Each structure stands twice: as structure tokens, then as C-alpha cells.
Amino acid sequence: MIFRNILAVAGAAWLAATAALAQLPDADGQAILVVAGDIAQTNAGEEAHFDVDMLRNLDWVEIETYTSFTEGPQRFAGPTLASLLRAVEAQGSKMTATALNGYFVSIPIDHAQAHDVILAMEHNGERMRVRDKGPIWVVYPLSESAARAKPFDTEMIWQLQRLEVQP
Amino acid sequence: MSGLTRRYLRIIFAMAVLGCLVATILVMRSHLLREDQHLTHSMSTVAWKVSETIFEAQRLEKDLLRFEYGEIDKSALELSAELFWSRIDVMRRTEVMDGTELYDELNWAEAYLVEHEGLIFGPAEELRPRLREMREDIRRWRQAFRHTWIGQRERNRELVIEAVAARTGGMQAMSEYLIAGCMIALALYMAMELALSHRAHERERRLRRAEEQANAAKSAFLANVSHEVRTPLNGVLGMAEELADSPLDDDQKKLVKVIRSSGELLLATINDVLDLSKIEAGRIELEEQPFDLRARLAECRELHLPAARARGLFLDLHIDDDLPEMVVGDMLRVSQVINNLVSNAIKFTEEGGVDIFVRALARSGGKWKLSVSVRDTGIGVSSNARDQIFRPFVQAEADTTRRYGGTGLGLTISRNICHLMDGDLTLASVPGRGSTFTATFELGYMSMRSDAADVARQQVGAAAADWTARVPRSRDRAAAADGGDSVALDLLSGTGRANSTRSDAQGRQADAETALSDRAAQPEEGQHGPSARAATAGCRILIVDDSQTNRFVLRRFLSGFDVAVQECGSGEEAVDLARSAGFDIIFMDVQMPGMDGEEATRRIRAHEEESGADQACIVAATANIMRHQIDGYLAAGMDTVLSKPVRKADFLDLMGRLGHKRVA
């Protein structure tokens, strides 16, 4: 009797302990980004669903940058891709990013750190609608001259919907 | 700035230009590559965007229908509309769209969406009645858009190219100018280098021609001096000899002795000076004939033995066992050097004596490296004089010349000869104790059957005693060169016409032996005196020489002979005389103005051939007795050589031989 109690308490304590480490909350609002694949943190079966608030709670940054799709300096705000990957504890080397219209591209995981990629959700202070390339545009911050060379045109996928992490 | 520095600078400049050219080409190439990629990318991007736009238009069309049939809900339709809208937006921003028909189509689509925004994103009830109409609008737009795109594809391509070119045009033009400039510069450089090298070539050719002319002038000068000096000397020495033979009282004998020894010294000096100029003008050719080195050394010792004994000195020869028997080289010059050293040693030694050490140092590459060390116990050479004595006309001390005589050229010439033979002449000396002069030189080696060599050696050795008596005069100069070898030359060439040469060492030794054994140690006349007269009795003799003195000398020498003598002073006269009357012996001077001795000989021989007359014996009387010169005389048709200045003994010898040949 006492042994079973001790076991129960120990079990609960262990659960609590593990839970205290980076626990991914559930998505309350509409999930605008789904992350699946080689990840350790999920909140919907094998997937991790993110709503706007969850994304806001990640490492939210504001940047001024140039892109090869725009003229002149642009302001973007959104969480860093690196923080998202940390939140889901992504364990692969690359990921397939899929857009709302079916377009997809493979992005190496290390780009997140190497190029300070952000998941832009606000453009020049405004929430990005689908017609504005929202809800999420994968933006690589670049200088004006670097942008002219169009280095990451294929990786800068807009209308991002899903990330599938692969080994 | 020297020519060489300028040249290097030019080369560096050319290299720099070349480097610039290569760099520019590489940059341009990478640029072009990138532009190419850009172009391709741009073109494919436009096509991609067009196809995506058409796709999204179709999707919107489809979703309008599906919404009408309730297959999808409004948010899905709204999403489709948004996607289509973003497509339109993105395409409108593409750089090449501005001004094209495609652009107009896109603008229409944008305007349409803006106009129907409220309808699409508003309440469903308001939208439903308009669905079909909207679907129709989108479809028509899509078809028009595609139609325009097809029609405009070519134009679009041009636009893309223009846009890309405009971006990079400036840089490309500059690169092209740079490349053209570099190439022109390089071409100019090459042309300049060619021109300069041509000029240098020309200059070199001119210099070489000038040098050749200078050398030719020098040779001519040397030949002239040789001739001009020897001719009067011939007179002096010849007549002094005649005088010595005539009856004189004791006092007169002394006077004649002085005349003769002065004449001899003068001759020796002139020979040395000419020798030196020849050496310094690089005109000395070393002969390459086989000779018996050991025999030569023995001869040399024998030559100097009387003088040594007269001063109460010993003269010992020490020859290494492994010294080769036969060697190939210039016997005269080697003898000259050794004789010079030995006579110096004897001359400068008051008591004690001279040792001659001959060693074979090494053998490599077909050459013997030999050393001859002459060690004396004489006055020695002080350290400051050590370098001086090898210089021309310098002896160790100022009064050395006065006390010991000599021309002061012997060592200079000897050292030069050693250098010519890839060796050297060095000195080790302790003043008051003695000196050791060491001559090293290289001689080629040849193998020979030992028995034949033995025979030759014995013969020559036996004759050496007689040999030495024949050449009492010249001490500082190789005995052979003056009296001895000219005799040997005579002998050799006397054994047969035209083809006889000194190539056969064995034959040569044999001939020397034959001649020497016939001769006893007689002073002036030689053994042939009386027999020479007898053998040549009744001969008709022609003396040809442009110098009256020389003719007189020969005539005098012939005074005791029972012969008919005629003279003439030029080659032309000689030919005429020989044609009209036959001669038994013709003494032909080689160097004459107008027709020279060789040419005259050729003419005479030709005449003899034609007319079938008996061949005269033609003797070349000349001071030039080098190998190739002798070959020349023989080739012209001469029988033998008599070297000037003419010595009575040589002359008598020759007469004897010629007479005997005639008889036989």
C-alpha cells in the first residue's frame, strides 16, 4: 500500500519534473503553422501546432532589411526560426516548408542560425494577410547589394503553412 | 640606366600588362557567367510566375464553382482569392512587366479584385448571385492573359535581356576596352622587343666583323714583322757564320764571336716577342702529334748537360714509373717549356745542381695530367718578385738581367703555354736556398705496341748525344724549334713528296735515327760537308728571294760548291726562268710581294707536267714553319723546307741529302 503510494508520488514528481522542462502549450487559437517530423515537442499527436499567440511568445524580433521581392528598406517583425526550432526541439538536418498554395521548398536547418532567418508576420507594422504574403513569410535578412543577387529566392517561401523536419 | 636594367623593366612591364589582361579576362568571364545565369534565371522566373498566375486563376475559378455547389466553405474561397491576389501582386512587381500588354492584364486583374473585395470577403448571401458572373470573368481573364503571354514571349525575352544588359553594360564595355588596351600594349611590346633584338643582332654582327678584321690585320702584321726582322737577321747571322769560317786571327775571332752571340740573342728575343704576341692574340695553335715523352726528356737533359757541367752543377732526371711512353700533344711547346725551366735553373744556380722530377698526376677523360718540377739550389726568388717574374720583360731584380742575361719573356711564354694545355706554371722558392718551378699540363694518351716503342726509344737515345752537339746555340728557346726540328722536317719531307707528314711517330723516330747516326759531333759543317759537295756537283741551282741580302747569304753558302747558280727577285721571274731553263734545285722564298713562293711553285709544277720536263727539287725557304703552313707548302708542290734564318750547317745538310737523292 505504502509502496504503491510512494510509486505514485514518485511517478507524479517525475512527470512534473519533465513537464517543467520546455513544455509546448496547446494551441488555443487557430493554428497557422504546423510543425511535424523529427521533433521532440508536440502538442497535437505527432505534430506541434502554433497559433499567433504561441508564435508571439517565441523570440520575437523586429528587423529592417532588403529583399529581392521589394523595393527599398522594409521592416519585418516575427519570431526567429531558430527559436521555433528550439521550441519543438527539432532534431533533423533539413526541413520541407510548404505554402498555402502548395509550393514547397527544402531548407537546411542550419540556415536558421547561419542567416538569422525570421518567420515574418508583420510587414511595415501591418499584419500580413495572405494577399500580402502572410500569414508567415520566411525572411532572410540581407543588405541591399546582397539582395540584388537574389541568393535565397527559393528558400524565402511565403504563405508558410507547414514545416516537416527531416533527418 | 644600363641596357640590362632597361630590359628588365620592359620585361616587368610586359608581365604586368599580361597579368592585367589575364585578370580582366577572368573577371569578365565570371561576370558573363553570372549574367548568363541571371538571364536564364530571369527568363525562367517570368515563365514560372506566369504559369503560377494562370494556375491560381484556375483554382479561383474552380473554387467559385465548388463554393456554389457547397463543396467548400467561404474561408476556403477567400483563401483562394487571397492566393490569386498575392500572385497578381508579385507578378506586377517583376521588373520587366512595366509597359507590356501583360502588365495591362495584371493591372486589370488587380483592379477587379479591389473592386470585388467587398463582395468576396463580405457576407455569402451577397456573393452567391454573383458567383457565376465572377467565374466567367476570371475565366475570360485567364484565357486573355495566357493568350497575351504566348504572343509576347519573344518580346519578353528581349526585354529581359535588355534589362540584364542595362544593369551590367557599363562594366562590360570598360572591361572590353581594358582587354583591347592590354592586347595592343602587348603587341607593341613584342614589336619593340623584336626591333631591339634585331638592332642588337646587327650591332653584334658589326662588332664581330670588326673583330675579325682586327684579327686579320694583327695576323698580317705579325707575319710582316716576322718576315721583315728575320730577313736582315739572316744576313747578320749568315755572314757572321761565313766570317767565322774564314781565316781570322785570335782578336778577330773574338770580335766575330761577339757578333754572332749578339745576333743569336737578337734572334731569340725577336722569336720570343713574336711568340708572345701570337699567344696573346690567341693565334697559337697547339699541335696534336704523338711523341715519346721520355725520349724528349732525356734529350732535354742531354742538351743542357754541357752547360751544367761547365758550371760544376749536377743535372738529374727522375721519371715516374707510371709515366706514359707515348703522349699526344705539341712536342715543340712542351720542350720549349721544359728547356726554359731547366736553362733558367742552371743559369741562376752557382753551386749544387738541378733535379727534374716528372710525375703522372692523374688520368681522366682521355688526358694525362702531368707535372714537371725543376728544382734548383740557386739564388731563389724573393716573395715580392714571385708574381713579377711571370710578367713580360720583368726579371726578379733589376740587375739580374745585367748579370744573367736573358730576354725576360721565357717564363711568361712558358706559363701561357701551360695554360693553353689546361695546366699552370707555379713557383715555390726560398731566397738563397733555391727554387722549384712546377709546370703542369695535360696531354692526350695513346697506346702503342711496346716493342716498337722500345726500339724507337733506344734509337733516339743513342742519337741524343750527337743531337745535342748540333744545337749549341739557343738556350732559352726550345732547341728543336730552331735548328733541330726544321732539320727533322727536312728529313721527313725529303723521304717523299707531297704526302709525307709527321703523322707517323714511329716513322719519324726512325727517320731521325737514320739522319743522326750519319752525323758525328762536328761543329759547323757537319758530316755532309765534303760529301754534300760531291753529291751536288754540276747541279743547276736557282735562288728566289725578294731580299738581296738573303740571296747573298745563300750564294755565299754555295760558294764552296761546284754548281751553277742563278738568282731572281720575284715569283714571276722564277717561273719564267724555270720555264726557259731547267733547274735541279730551286730555293724558293715563300713570302714575296706580287706572286708568292707557293703560287710560283704551282706554276712551275704545272709547266713541268705539261712539258714533261724533269722535276726540280723546290725548297721552301721561310721562317713560318707551323704544321698547317708546311702542309700548305707541300700541297703547292714544294719538296722540303729550309727554315730562316738559314744556318750553314742546316744548309749543308740539306744539300747533302738532296744530292744523295739525285744520285740514287
Side-chain angles (χ1 to χ4, degrees), chain B residues 193-259:
Chain B
E193 280 296 320
L194 240 77
L196 284 171
S197 119
H198 180 73
R199 205 155 47 118
H201 223 64
E202 281 298 306
R203 207 181 329 138
E204 200 200 314
R205 195 138 38 97
R206 258 184 286 126
L207 283 173
R208 208 167 327 134
R209 226 179 311 136
E211 194 194 326
E212 280 165 16
Q213 283 174 350
N215 273 343
K218 226 184 283 186
S219 303
F221 174 74
L222 282 174
N224 276 343
V225 167
S226 176
H227 183 254
E228 294 305 316
V229 165
R230 288 196 158 111
T231 306
L233 255 184
N234 199 23
V236 169
L237 287 173
M239 292 304 98
E241 270 185 276
E242 278 293 294
L243 210 51
D245 282 347
S246 67
L248 302 169
D249 63 34
D250 285 337
D251 191 43
Q252 286 171 322
K253 280 208 179 85
K254 273 197 220 123
L255 299 179
V256 167
K257 193 160 172 218
V258 171
I259 293 174

Coordinates of all heavy atoms in Angstrom, one line a residue, chain B residues 193-259:
Chain B
E193 N 60.4 44.7 -78.8 CA 61.4 43.7 -78.5 C 62.1 43.1 -79.7 O 63.3 43.0 -79.8 CB 60.8 42.5 -77.7 CG 60.6 42.8 -76.2 CD 61.9 43.1 -75.5 OE1 62.9 42.4 -75.8 OE2 62.0 44.0 -74.7
L194 N 61.2 42.8 -80.7 CA 61.8 42.3 -82.0 C 62.7 43.3 -82.6 O 63.8 43.0 -83.0 CB 60.6 42.0 -82.9 CG 60.5 40.6 -83.4 CD1 59.9 39.8 -82.2 CD2 59.7 40.5 -84.6
A195 N 62.3 44.6 -82.6 CA 63.1 45.6 -83.3 C 64.4 45.7 -82.5 O 65.5 45.8 -83.1 CB 62.3 46.9 -83.3
L196 N 64.3 45.8 -81.2 CA 65.5 45.9 -80.4 C 66.5 44.8 -80.6 O 67.7 44.9 -80.7 CB 65.2 46.1 -78.9 CG 64.6 47.5 -78.6 CD1 64.1 47.5 -77.2 CD2 65.7 48.5 -78.7
S197 N 65.9 43.6 -80.6 CA 66.7 42.4 -80.7 C 67.4 42.4 -82.1 O 68.6 42.0 -82.2 CB 65.9 41.1 -80.5 OG 65.9 40.3 -81.6
H198 N 66.7 42.8 -83.1 CA 67.2 42.9 -84.4 C 68.4 43.9 -84.4 O 69.5 43.6 -84.9 CB 66.2 43.4 -85.4 CG 66.7 43.5 -86.8 ND1 66.9 42.4 -87.6 CD2 67.0 44.6 -87.5 CE1 67.4 42.8 -88.7 NE2 67.4 44.1 -88.8
R199 N 68.2 45.0 -83.7 CA 69.3 46.0 -83.7 C 70.5 45.5 -82.9 O 71.6 45.6 -83.4 CB 68.7 47.3 -82.9 CG 69.5 48.5 -83.3 CD 68.7 49.8 -83.1 NE 68.1 49.8 -81.8 CZ 68.3 50.7 -80.9 NH1 69.2 51.6 -81.1 NH2 67.7 50.7 -79.8
A200 N 70.2 44.8 -81.9 CA 71.3 44.2 -81.1 C 72.1 43.2 -82.0 O 73.3 43.1 -82.0 CB 70.8 43.5 -79.8
H201 N 71.3 42.4 -82.7 CA 71.9 41.4 -83.6 C 72.8 42.1 -84.6 O 73.9 41.7 -84.9 CB 70.8 40.8 -84.4 CG 70.9 39.3 -84.5 ND1 70.9 38.5 -83.4 CD2 71.1 38.5 -85.6 CE1 71.1 37.3 -83.8 NE2 71.2 37.2 -85.1
E202 N 72.3 43.2 -85.2 CA 73.1 43.9 -86.2 C 74.4 44.4 -85.6 O 75.5 44.3 -86.2 CB 72.3 45.1 -86.7 CG 71.3 44.7 -87.8 CD 71.9 44.1 -89.0 OE1 72.8 44.7 -89.6 OE2 71.5 43.0 -89.4
R203 N 74.2 45.0 -84.4 CA 75.4 45.5 -83.7 C 76.4 44.4 -83.5 O 77.6 44.6 -83.7 CB 75.0 46.2 -82.4 CG 75.9 47.3 -82.0 CD 75.6 47.9 -80.7 NE 74.2 47.9 -80.4 CZ 73.7 47.7 -79.2 NH1 74.5 47.4 -78.2 NH2 72.4 47.7 -79.0
E204 N 75.9 43.3 -83.0 CA 76.8 42.2 -82.8 C 77.5 41.8 -84.0 O 78.8 41.5 -84.0 CB 76.0 41.0 -82.2 CG 76.9 40.0 -81.4 CD 76.2 38.7 -81.3 OE1 75.0 38.7 -81.0 OE2 76.8 37.7 -81.6
R205 N 76.8 41.7 -85.1 CA 77.4 41.3 -86.4 C 78.5 42.3 -86.8 O 79.6 41.9 -87.2 CB 76.3 41.2 -87.4 CG 76.8 40.5 -88.7 CD 75.8 39.5 -89.2 NE 74.4 40.0 -89.2 CZ 73.8 40.6 -90.2 NH1 74.5 40.8 -91.4 NH2 72.6 41.0 -90.2
R206 N 78.2 43.6 -86.6 CA 79.2 44.6 -87.0 C 80.4 44.4 -86.1 O 81.6 44.5 -86.6 CB 78.6 46.0 -86.8 CG 78.2 46.6 -88.1 CD 77.7 48.0 -87.9 NE 76.4 48.1 -87.3 CZ 76.1 48.8 -86.2 NH1 77.1 49.5 -85.6 NH2 74.9 48.8 -85.7
L207 N 80.2 44.3 -84.8 CA 81.3 44.1 -83.9 C 82.2 42.9 -84.3 O 83.4 42.9 -84.3 CB 80.8 44.0 -82.5 CG 80.4 45.2 -81.8 CD1 79.8 44.9 -80.4 CD2 81.6 46.2 -81.6
R208 N 81.5 41.8 -84.6 CA 82.2 40.6 -84.9 C 83.0 40.8 -86.2 O 84.2 40.4 -86.2 CB 81.3 39.4 -85.1 CG 82.0 38.2 -84.7 CD 81.1 37.0 -84.6 NE 79.8 37.2 -84.1 CZ 78.7 36.7 -84.6 NH1 78.8 35.9 -85.6 NH2 77.5 37.0 -84.1
R209 N 82.4 41.5 -87.1 CA 83.2 41.7 -88.4 C 84.4 42.6 -88.1 O 85.5 42.3 -88.6 CB 82.3 42.4 -89.4 CG 82.4 41.8 -90.7 CD 81.5 42.4 -91.8 NE 80.2 42.6 -91.4 CZ 79.5 43.7 -91.6 NH1 80.0 44.7 -92.2 NH2 78.2 43.8 -91.2
A210 N 84.2 43.6 -87.2 CA 85.3 44.5 -86.9 C 86.4 43.7 -86.2 O 87.6 43.9 -86.5 CB 84.8 45.6 -86.0
E211 N 86.0 42.8 -85.3 CA 87.0 42.0 -84.6 C 87.7 41.1 -85.5 O 88.9 41.0 -85.4 CB 86.2 41.1 -83.5 CG 87.2 40.5 -82.5 CD 86.6 39.4 -81.7 OE1 85.4 39.6 -81.4 OE2 87.2 38.5 -81.4
E212 N 87.0 40.5 -86.5 CA 87.6 39.6 -87.4 C 88.7 40.4 -88.3 O 89.8 40.0 -88.5 CB 86.6 39.0 -88.4 CG 85.9 37.8 -87.8 CD 84.7 37.4 -88.6 OE1 84.6 37.9 -89.7 OE2 83.8 36.7 -88.0
Q213 N 88.2 41.6 -88.6 CA 89.2 42.5 -89.4 C 90.4 42.8 -88.6 O 91.5 42.7 -89.1 CB 88.5 43.7 -89.9 CG 87.6 43.5 -91.0 CD 86.8 44.8 -91.4 OE1 86.8 45.7 -90.6 NE2 86.1 44.8 -92.5
A214 N 90.1 43.1 -87.3 CA 91.3 43.5 -86.5 C 92.2 42.3 -86.3 O 93.4 42.4 -86.4 CB 90.8 43.9 -85.1
N215 N 91.6 41.1 -86.1 CA 92.5 39.9 -86.0 C 93.2 39.6 -87.3 O 94.4 39.3 -87.2 CB 91.6 38.7 -85.7 CG 91.4 38.5 -84.2 OD1 92.1 39.1 -83.4 ND2 90.4 37.7 -83.9
A216 N 92.6 39.8 -88.4 CA 93.3 39.6 -89.7 C 94.4 40.6 -89.8 O 95.5 40.2 -90.2 CB 92.3 39.7 -90.8
A217 N 94.1 41.8 -89.4 CA 95.2 42.8 -89.5 C 96.4 42.4 -88.6 O 97.5 42.6 -89.0 CB 94.6 44.2 -89.1
K218 N 96.0 41.9 -87.4 CA 97.1 41.5 -86.5 C 97.9 40.4 -87.1 O 99.1 40.4 -87.0 CB 96.4 41.1 -85.2 CG 97.1 41.7 -84.0 CD 96.5 41.2 -82.7 CE 95.2 41.8 -82.4 NZ 94.7 41.4 -81.0
S219 N 97.2 39.4 -87.6 CA 98.0 38.3 -88.2 C 98.9 38.8 -89.3 O 100.1 38.4 -89.4 CB 97.0 37.3 -88.8 OG 96.1 36.8 -87.8
A220 N 98.4 39.6 -90.2 CA 99.2 40.1 -91.3 C 100.4 40.9 -90.7 O 101.5 40.7 -91.2 CB 98.3 41.1 -92.1
F221 N 100.1 41.7 -89.7 CA 101.2 42.4 -89.0 C 102.3 41.5 -88.5 O 103.5 41.7 -88.8 CB 100.6 43.3 -87.9 CG 101.7 44.0 -87.1 CD1 102.4 45.1 -87.6 CD2 102.0 43.5 -85.8 CE1 103.4 45.7 -86.9 CE2 103.0 44.2 -85.1 CZ 103.7 45.3 -85.6
L222 N 101.8 40.5 -87.8 CA 102.8 39.5 -87.2 C 103.6 38.9 -88.3 O 104.8 38.7 -88.2 CB 102.1 38.5 -86.4 CG 101.6 38.9 -85.0 CD1 100.8 37.8 -84.4 CD2 102.7 39.2 -84.1
A223 N 102.9 38.5 -89.4 CA 103.6 37.8 -90.4 C 104.7 38.8 -91.0 O 105.8 38.4 -91.3 CB 102.7 37.4 -91.5
N224 N 104.2 40.0 -91.2 CA 105.2 41.0 -91.8 C 106.4 41.2 -90.9 O 107.5 41.2 -91.4 CB 104.4 42.3 -92.0 CG 103.7 42.3 -93.3 OD1 104.0 41.5 -94.2 ND2 102.8 43.2 -93.5
V225 N 106.1 41.5 -89.6 CA 107.2 41.7 -88.7 C 108.2 40.6 -88.7 O 109.4 40.7 -88.8 CB 106.7 42.0 -87.3 CG1 107.8 41.9 -86.3 CG2 106.0 43.3 -87.2
S226 N 107.6 39.4 -88.6 CA 108.4 38.2 -88.7 C 109.3 38.2 -89.9 O 110.5 38.0 -89.8 CB 107.5 37.0 -88.7 OG 108.3 35.8 -88.8
H227 N 108.7 38.5 -91.0 CA 109.5 38.5 -92.2 C 110.5 39.6 -92.2 O 111.7 39.4 -92.5 CB 108.5 38.6 -93.4 CG 109.2 38.6 -94.7 ND1 109.4 39.7 -95.5 CD2 109.8 37.5 -95.4 CE1 110.1 39.3 -96.6 NE2 110.3 38.0 -96.6
E228 N 110.1 40.8 -91.9 CA 111.0 42.0 -92.0 C 112.1 41.9 -91.1 O 113.2 42.4 -91.4 CB 110.2 43.3 -91.7 CG 109.1 43.6 -92.7 CD 109.6 43.7 -94.1 OE1 110.7 44.3 -94.3 OE2 109.0 43.2 -95.0
V229 N 111.9 41.2 -89.9 CA 113.1 41.2 -89.0 C 114.0 40.0 -89.3 O 115.2 40.2 -89.2 CB 112.5 41.0 -87.5 CG1 113.6 40.6 -86.6 CG2 111.9 42.3 -87.1
R230 N 113.4 39.0 -89.7 CA 114.3 37.8 -90.0 C 115.1 37.9 -91.2 O 116.2 37.4 -91.2 CB 113.4 36.5 -90.1 CG 112.8 36.1 -88.8 CD 112.2 34.7 -88.9 NE 112.1 34.1 -87.6 CZ 111.0 33.8 -87.0 NH1 109.9 34.1 -87.6 NH2 111.0 33.3 -85.8
T231 N 114.7 38.7 -92.1 CA 115.5 38.9 -93.3 C 116.8 39.5 -93.0 O 117.9 38.9 -93.4 CB 114.7 39.7 -94.4 OG1 113.4 39.1 -94.6 CG2 115.4 39.8 -95.7
P232 N 116.9 40.7 -92.4 CA 118.2 41.2 -92.1 C 119.0 40.4 -91.2 O 120.2 40.3 -91.2 CB 117.9 42.6 -91.6 CG 116.5 42.6 -91.2 CD 115.8 41.6 -92.1
L233 N 118.3 39.7 -90.2 CA 118.9 38.9 -89.3 C 119.6 37.7 -90.0 O 120.7 37.2 -89.6 CB 117.9 38.3 -88.3 CG 118.0 38.9 -86.9 CD1 117.0 38.2 -86.0 CD2 119.4 38.8 -86.3
N234 N 118.9 37.3 -91.0 CA 119.5 36.2 -91.8 C 120.9 36.7 -92.3 O 121.9 36.0 -92.3 CB 118.6 36.0 -93.0 CG 118.9 34.6 -93.6 OD1 119.4 33.7 -93.0 ND2 118.5 34.5 -94.9
G235 N 120.9 37.9 -92.8 CA 122.1 38.5 -93.3 C 123.2 38.5 -92.2 O 124.3 38.0 -92.4
V236 N 122.8 39.0 -91.1 CA 123.8 39.2 -90.0 C 124.4 37.8 -89.6 O 125.6 37.6 -89.5 CB 123.1 39.9 -88.7 CG1 124.1 39.8 -87.5 CG2 122.8 41.3 -89.1
L237 N 123.4 36.9 -89.3 CA 123.9 35.6 -88.8 C 124.6 34.8 -89.8 O 125.7 34.2 -89.6 CB 122.7 34.8 -88.3 CG 122.1 35.3 -86.9 CD1 120.8 34.6 -86.6 CD2 123.1 35.2 -85.8
G238 N 124.1 34.8 -91.0 CA 124.7 34.1 -92.1 C 126.1 34.6 -92.4 O 127.0 33.8 -92.4
M239 N 126.2 35.8 -92.5 CA 127.6 36.4 -92.8 C 128.5 36.2 -91.7 O 129.7 36.0 -91.9 CB 127.4 37.8 -93.2 CG 126.7 38.0 -94.6 SD 127.4 37.1 -95.9 CE 126.4 35.6 -96.0
A240 N 128.0 36.3 -90.4 CA 128.9 36.1 -89.3 C 129.4 34.7 -89.3 O 130.6 34.4 -89.0 CB 128.1 36.4 -88.0
E241 N 128.5 33.8 -89.7 CA 129.0 32.4 -89.8 C 130.1 32.2 -90.9 O 131.1 31.6 -90.7 CB 127.8 31.5 -90.2 CG 127.1 30.9 -89.1 CD 126.0 29.9 -89.5 OE1 124.9 30.4 -89.9 OE2 126.2 28.7 -89.6
E242 N 129.8 32.9 -92.0 CA 130.8 32.8 -93.1 C 132.2 33.4 -92.6 O 133.2 32.8 -92.9 CB 130.4 33.7 -94.3 CG 129.4 32.9 -95.2 CD 130.0 31.8 -95.9 OE1 130.9 32.0 -96.7 OE2 129.7 30.6 -95.6
L243 N 132.0 34.5 -91.9 CA 133.2 35.1 -91.4 C 134.0 34.2 -90.5 O 135.2 34.1 -90.5 CB 132.8 36.4 -90.6 CG 133.8 37.6 -90.6 CD1 134.3 37.9 -92.0 CD2 133.2 38.8 -89.9
A244 N 133.2 33.5 -89.6 CA 133.8 32.6 -88.6 C 134.6 31.5 -89.4 O 135.6 31.0 -88.9 CB 132.8 32.0 -87.7
D245 N 134.1 31.1 -90.5 CA 134.7 30.0 -91.3 C 136.0 30.5 -92.0 O 136.9 29.7 -92.3 CB 133.8 29.5 -92.3 CG 132.8 28.5 -91.7 OD1 133.0 28.1 -90.5 OD2 131.8 28.2 -92.4
S246 N 136.0 31.8 -92.2 CA 137.2 32.3 -93.0 C 138.4 32.4 -92.0 O 138.2 32.4 -90.8 CB 136.9 33.7 -93.6 OG 136.7 34.6 -92.5
P247 N 139.6 32.5 -92.5 CA 140.8 32.6 -91.7 C 140.8 33.9 -90.9 O 140.6 35.0 -91.5 CB 142.0 32.6 -92.6 CG 141.4 32.4 -94.0 CD 139.9 32.5 -94.0
L248 N 140.9 33.8 -89.6 CA 140.9 35.0 -88.7 C 142.0 34.9 -87.7 O 142.3 33.8 -87.3 CB 139.5 35.2 -88.0 CG 138.3 35.3 -88.8 CD1 137.1 35.2 -87.9 CD2 138.2 36.6 -89.5
D249 N 142.5 36.0 -87.2 CA 143.4 36.0 -86.1 C 142.6 35.9 -84.8 O 141.4 36.1 -84.8 CB 144.4 37.1 -86.1 CG 143.7 38.5 -85.9 OD1 142.6 38.5 -85.2 OD2 144.1 39.5 -86.5
D250 N 143.2 35.7 -83.7 CA 142.5 35.5 -82.4 C 141.6 36.7 -82.1 O 140.5 36.5 -81.6 CB 143.5 35.3 -81.3 CG 144.1 33.9 -81.4 OD1 143.5 33.0 -82.0 OD2 145.3 33.7 -80.9
D251 N 142.2 37.9 -82.3 CA 141.4 39.0 -82.0 C 140.1 39.1 -82.8 O 139.0 39.3 -82.3 CB 142.2 40.3 -82.2 CG 141.6 41.5 -81.6 OD1 141.1 41.4 -80.4 OD2 141.5 42.6 -82.2
Q252 N 140.3 38.9 -84.1 CA 139.1 38.9 -85.0 C 138.1 37.8 -84.6 O 136.9 38.0 -84.7 CB 139.6 38.7 -86.4 CG 140.2 40.0 -87.0 CD 140.8 39.7 -88.4 OE1 141.4 38.6 -88.6 NE2 140.7 40.6 -89.3
K253 N 138.7 36.6 -84.2 CA 137.8 35.6 -83.8 C 136.9 36.0 -82.7 O 135.7 35.7 -82.6 CB 138.6 34.3 -83.4 CG 139.1 33.5 -84.5 CD 139.3 32.0 -84.1 CE 139.8 31.2 -85.3 NZ 141.2 31.2 -85.5
K254 N 137.5 36.7 -81.7 CA 136.7 37.2 -80.6 C 135.6 38.2 -81.0 O 134.5 38.1 -80.6 CB 137.6 37.9 -79.6 CG 138.3 37.0 -78.6 CD 138.8 37.8 -77.4 CE 140.2 37.2 -77.0 NZ 141.3 38.1 -77.0
L255 N 136.0 39.1 -82.0 CA 135.0 40.0 -82.4 C 133.8 39.3 -83.1 O 132.7 39.6 -82.8 CB 135.7 41.0 -83.4 CG 136.8 41.8 -82.9 CD1 137.4 42.7 -84.0 CD2 136.3 42.7 -81.7
V256 N 134.2 38.4 -84.0 CA 133.1 37.6 -84.7 C 132.2 36.9 -83.7 O 131.0 36.8 -83.8 CB 133.7 36.6 -85.7 CG1 132.7 35.6 -86.1 CG2 134.3 37.4 -86.8
K257 N 132.9 36.3 -82.6 CA 132.1 35.6 -81.6 C 131.0 36.5 -81.0 O 129.9 36.1 -80.8 CB 133.1 35.1 -80.5 CG 132.4 34.1 -79.6 CD 133.5 33.3 -78.9 CE 132.8 32.4 -77.8 NZ 133.5 32.3 -76.6
V258 N 131.4 37.8 -80.7 CA 130.5 38.7 -80.1 C 129.4 39.0 -81.1 O 128.2 39.0 -80.7 CB 131.2 40.0 -79.7 CG1 130.2 41.1 -79.3 CG2 132.2 39.8 -78.6
I259 N 129.8 39.2 -82.4 CA 128.7 39.5 -83.4 C 127.7 38.4 -83.4 O 126.5 38.6 -83.4 CB 129.3 39.7 -84.8 CG1 130.2 41.0 -84.8 CG2 128.2 39.8 -85.8 CD1 130.9 41.2 -86.1

